Amino acid sequence: QVELVESGGESVQAGGTLRLTCASSEDTYKFFCMAWFRETPEMGRVAIATVTSDGFTTYADSVKDRGAIWKDNAKNTLYLKIDNLKPEDTGVYTCAAEEVRARCTVRAGSAGFGHWGQGTQVAVSS
């Protein structure tokens, strides 16, 4: 049973920086695809950023040029950083991972991810 545990969620002011971590109980090098999702009542669950096992990344338009996703296989941890936070960045951020997946892009959505964390709440105030 793979366990993913997010941390770093907080209440921050617009313009600030968000740093989230996702610790995996499984060796992260085994995952072809890892991702961050944001869930809100209005939009549901939306992919924010993805990273493949060889480091290829994709980002949602909402965080492009502001966000960064990477993983450290030595620490079995996935990271997300978003600069210049906006109120619309508010939501529950969840990490996901999958060993085998046809595509690892934000456009591919949430289908096919077998491992999910519980989520961490982020609130951005204006």
Side-chain angles (χ1 to χ4, degrees), residues 65-85:
D65 299 327
R66 297 189 296 126
I69 182 173
W70 72 99
K71 62 175 181 171
D72 186 336
N73 289 335
K75 297 181 179 180
N76 294 325
T77 301
L78 176 72
Y79 301 92
L80 178 69
K81 179 174 176 282
I82 302 177
D83 295 318
N84 190 23
L85 286 166

Side-chain angles (χ1 to χ4, degrees), residues 7-13 16-20 82 85 89-91 93 120-125:
S7 62
E10 60 180 335
S11 295
V12 295
Q13 287 193 326
T17 295
L18 175 70
R19 296 179 180 85
L20 301 179
I82 302 177
L85 286 166
D89 293 320
T90 294
Y93 284 72
T120 185
Q121 177 72 52
V122 173
V124 183
S125 58

Side-chain angles (χ1 to χ4, degrees), residues 9-120:
E10 60 180 335
S11 295
V12 295
Q13 287 193 326
T17 295
L18 175 70
R19 296 179 180 85
L20 301 179
T21 65
C22 171
S24 171
S25 63
E26 181 62 88
D27 294 329
T28 52
Y29 77 86
K30 294 181 179 180
F31 299 130
F32 167 67
C33 185
M34 298 191 76
W36 284 99
F37 290 82
R38 179 177 66 226
E39 186 164 5
T40 62
E42 300 80 16
M43 299 297 292
R45 180 177 283 171
V46 176
I48 297 301
T50 64
V51 60
T52 66
S53 53
D54 58 2
F56 177 74
T57 59
T58 69
Y59 297 92
D61 288 343
S62 63
V63 299
K64 195 166 289 185
D65 299 327
R66 297 189 296 126
I69 182 173
W70 72 99
K71 62 175 181 171
D72 186 336
N73 289 335
K75 297 181 179 180
N76 294 325
T77 301
L78 176 72
Y79 301 92
L80 178 69
K81 179 174 176 282
I82 302 177
D83 295 318
N84 190 23
L85 286 166
K86 304 175 181 181
E88 50 264 42
D89 293 320
T90 294
V92 176
Y93 284 72
T94 305
C95 64
E98 181 54 49
E99 292 89 342
V100 178
R101 197 163 188 262
R103 292 189 300 160
C104 186
T105 65
V106 292
R107 289 190 176 186
S110 61
F113 280 100
H115 312 296
W116 291 87
Q118 293 300 307
T120 185

